[in-house]
């Protein structure tokens, strides 16, 4: 059976629950909020001026293990001292945040978040020095990539409709 027919058949036989639709919509919202937080660090784009979107995800094989969304969660945990407060701040369920923290703790050679349960102060969570180091390296990577992209944006400005001056006629630079 062709793949397209299998998909149509699966779509007809597998009803999508309202909870699954809600989870998918929520995941899209979370990604959008992470992108908005990342974009907040750069000036707003102007029409007729070239710009770029940058989203770097670190993978282990085919499995994404770290990126802007997980970094945002870690920063929220660091700011609030709590997984549940970080989840509320991001508009995500505690379960989703907890599962992401568990996944990160298992995907890296050292845990990223430590938790302490209950007690007089009510428990909490903190980033490990390993997580702080990972976040700093990720930030450095993003900043270096942005510097490289910023250096090339004027070339693309020249190709946009509004600007007829300075269109490069030479060959593009060769990648080494």
């Amino acid at each position: 059976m062709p793949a397209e027919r299998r998909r149509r058949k699966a779509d007809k036989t597998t009803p999508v629950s309202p909870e699954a639709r809600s989870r998918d919509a929520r995941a899209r919202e979370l990604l959008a909020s992470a992108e908005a937080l990342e974009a907040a660090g750069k000036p707003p784009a102007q029409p007729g001026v070239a710009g770029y979107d940058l989203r770097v995800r670190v993978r282990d094989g085919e499995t994404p293990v770290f990126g802007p969304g997980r970094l945002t969660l870690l920063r929220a945990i660091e700011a609030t001292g709590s997984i549940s407060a970080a989840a509320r701040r991001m508009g995500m369920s505690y379960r989703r945040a907890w599962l992401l923290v568990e996944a990160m703790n298992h995907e890296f050679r050292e845990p990223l978040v430590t938790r302490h349960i209950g007690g007089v102060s009510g428990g909490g969570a903190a980033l490990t020095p390993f997580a702080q180091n990972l976040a700093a390296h990720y930030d450095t990577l993003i900043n270096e990539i942005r510097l490289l992209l910023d250096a090339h944006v004027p070339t693309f400005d020249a190709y946009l409709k509004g600007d007829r001056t300075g269109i490069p006629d030479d060959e593009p630079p060769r990648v080494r």
Side-chain angles (χ1 to χ4, degrees):
M1 181 183 305
E4 188 176 318
R5 274 186 55 205
R6 279 194 302 262
R7 267 184 299 218
R8 275 189 268 136
K9 185 176 182 180
D11 288 345
K12 290 178 185 174
T13 59
T14 311
V16 178
S17 69
E19 295 85 22
R21 275 193 210 109
S22 175
R23 272 195 315 269
D24 290 345
R26 192 72 196 134
R28 284 190 298 275
E29 288 173 23
L30 288 171
L31 181 58
S33 69
E35 290 170 348
L37 284 171
E38 187 177 337
K42 60 183 177 182
Q46 299 172 3
V49 176
Y52 56 86
D53 294 320
L54 178 62
R55 188 176 341 150
V56 176
R57 288 193 177 91
V58 177
R59 296 179 180 276
D60 180 9
E62 289 297 313
T63 306
V65 294
F66 198 74
R70 291 182 181 202
L71 178 65
T72 303
L73 176 59
L74 289 179
R75 288 204 170 123
I77 291 169
E78 186 174 39
T80 62
S82 160
I83 296 172
S84 60
R88 279 191 302 275
R89 177 182 275 194
M90 293 180 66
M92 136 185 341
S93 72
Y94 170 77
R95 177 171 167 69
R96 173 85 175 130
W98 185 83
L99 288 172
L100 283 169
V101 167
E102 283 295 303
M104 286 188 283
N105 281 345
H106 289 288
E107 291 162 345
F108 289 93
R109 63 182 166 89
E110 292 183 29
L112 302 183
V113 177
T114 57
R115 298 178 303 267
H116 43 279
I117 312 293
V120 176
S121 62
L127 298 190
T128 64
F130 184 80
Q132 292 169 344
N133 195 22
L134 174 68
H137 280 287
Y138 184 84
D139 287 339
T140 300
L141 173 68
I142 296 298
N143 289 334
E144 288 178 5
I145 293 171
R146 279 202 174 119
L147 286 172
L148 180 64
L149 290 170
D150 288 344
H152 289 278
V153 166
T155 302
F156 291 96
D157 274 339
Y159 284 100
L160 293 175
K161 243 181 190 176
D163 186 4
R164 295 282 182 210
T165 61
I167 295 177
D169 291 329
D170 57 347
E171 289 185 35
R174 301 215 185 272
V175 177
R176 296 180 211 174

